[in-house]
Amino acid sequence: MKKHLLLFGFILTSYCQTIAQVNTEIYRPSNRQQGLVGQLKASLSLNRGNGNNDIFSGSVKNSYVRKRHVIFGIGSYNFGQTRNDGNTNVFKRKGFLYAKYNYAIDKDSASHWSAEVFGQNELNEFIRLQNRLLGGIGFRWDIIKNPKTLNLSFGSSAMYEFEEVKLDSSDLTYPLQTNFWRWSNYLSMTYLLDNSSNKTFFSLVAYIQPAVYDINNNQMFNLTENYRILLNASVRTNISKTLSFGMTFKYRHASFIQSFLENYDYSLRSNLIINF
């Protein structure tokens, strides 16, 4: 198994910390990865002088594939403290937990149709999000399954979402708590171009999640009143056997959001990677 070391990264445009939703489909394991696979990361940053703070970040990824069953999950947490005159104050936290289970309708994981159940819990103090809980059930259709070239999948689910935000004196229009039923849909595509000189890998995941019912106010929505769009596109190409270059673009749009926030976020990143 090849291990990947991130040599360096630079951001071509500024990265906003206001992305509330997480594009979790990018963490889905391949059906060829039978059994249990896991990954654990942790880091601690200590800064003194002009930057007087401590920041901890950690993440864990796990997946399990066995014939008709696919399970995968991810957890991530960032926690920071400032130190002023010997006092310690928490200033920002961000984290989420996510898990999804797929059950192939046919006899093994090569099925083109599967049922899926998922759940998520999220915190993001950058946008005053105190708690976000969601869960859903639906189906997945693998339209094209060819690991050597092209994979194309579509998923659709009924999703319940609860959000609690911290009140802001400049925004009296956004409610403290929201309870919505949403219709969550995603399209996932991966493409591998393999020629004699190098390999180029392209992936695209797009979500659209319109709210269809407001539980708090017993109100139905049409599909254009309250919606969210998520997009994640990436490309990576091998320069040589040990060196590759990649770029990732992320975009989020929310039609209903707190007034002091922008209704969109985007980021563009490029990375140079050494494989060994």
Side-chain angles (χ1 to χ4, degrees):
M1 179 183 295
K2 290 186 177 181
K3 298 180 180 179
H4 305 280
L5 173 65
L6 178 62
L7 177 62
F8 61 85
F10 51 92
I11 302 176
L12 299 181
T13 59
S14 61
Y15 178 71
C16 299
Q17 296 282 0
T18 56
I19 298 178
Q21 294 74 46
V22 181
N23 203 335
T24 53
E25 188 61 22
I26 60 176
Y27 303 114
R28 175 179 293 275
S30 167
N31 286 341
R32 294 174 295 171
Q33 296 175 331
Q34 294 286 318
L36 180 65
V37 178
Q39 183 186 80
L40 181 65
K41 292 183 179 180
S43 66
L44 177 62
S45 175
L46 306 177
N47 303 283
R48 296 295 182 268
N50 292 320
N52 207 25
N53 55 66
D54 307 332
I55 300 175
F56 169 80
S57 62
S59 67
V60 59
K61 302 176 187 178
N62 280 286
S63 66
Y64 178 78
V65 178
R66 179 66 176 174
K67 295 183 178 180
R68 304 174 75 169
H69 308 277
V70 176
I71 304 172
F72 66 97
I74 181 170
S76 175
Y77 187 70
N78 294 272
F79 176 83
Q81 295 179 321
T82 57
R83 297 183 180 274
N84 298 310
D85 300 325
N87 296 319
T88 300
N89 302 303
V90 175
F91 66 95
K92 293 294 183 183
R93 294 180 299 163
K94 184 173 72 168
F96 74 95
L97 292 170
Y98 180 86
K100 177 177 279 190
Y101 168 68
N102 283 92
Y103 179 78
I105 295 176
D106 291 342
K107 292 183 178 181
D108 54 47
S109 58
S111 168
H112 285 269
W113 291 89
S114 60
E116 60 183 19
V117 180
F118 60 89
Q120 181 176 316
N121 183 213
E122 187 174 0
L123 164 73
N124 190 340
E125 292 184 344
F126 289 96
I127 58 171
R128 296 178 178 265
L129 178 65
Q130 301 300 299
N131 190 19
R132 183 173 189 250
L133 289 169
L134 64 85
I137 184 170
F139 72 91
R140 175 185 173 89
W141 176 29
D142 292 316
I143 305 169
I144 302 173
K145 294 183 68 173
N146 188 343
K148 294 183 179 181
T149 53
L150 177 65
N151 288 272
L152 180 64
S153 302
F154 170 77
S156 185
S157 303
M159 184 180 83
Y160 167 74
E161 176 190 72
F162 166 81
E163 283 191 0
E164 182 178 10
V165 300
K166 186 177 181 180
L167 289 177
D168 187 273
S169 58
S170 64
D171 186 358
L172 301 178
T173 61
Y174 196 89
L176 174 64
Q177 293 182 348
T178 57
N179 287 271
F180 294 136
W181 280 105
R182 290 186 181 272
W183 180 26
S184 178
N185 303 276
Y186 67 84
L187 185 68
S188 176
M189 184 192 74
T190 60
Y191 177 71
L192 176 64
L193 178 61
D194 188 357
N195 55 41
S196 58
S197 59
N198 59 32
K199 293 182 179 180
T200 299
F201 176 83
F202 176 78
S203 69
L204 173 68
V205 182
Y207 277 84
I208 182 167
Q209 298 175 329
V212 294
Y213 185 69
D214 183 346
I215 298 174
N216 289 347
N217 299 304
N218 296 320
Q219 177 186 355
M220 295 293 295
F221 295 109
N222 65 48
L223 298 182
T224 60
E225 285 185 87
N226 184 335
Y227 63 89
R228 287 172 175 161
I229 296 173
L230 305 170
L231 178 66
N232 185 300
S234 64
V235 61
R236 187 181 70 196
T237 185
N238 292 345
I239 301 174
S240 66
K241 290 183 178 180
T242 58
L243 189 65
S244 61
F245 176 78
M247 296 187 68
T248 300
F249 175 75
K250 297 180 181 180
Y251 176 81
R252 179 198 64 86
H253 175 85
S255 64
F256 180 56
I257 198 170
Q258 293 142 285
S259 62
F260 61 91
L261 296 174
E262 296 286 349
N263 64 357
Y264 72 92
D265 301 287
Y266 70 90
S267 69
L268 181 62
R269 285 185 173 182
S270 57
N271 298 298
L272 191 62
I273 301 169
I274 292 179
N275 307 301
F276 63 95

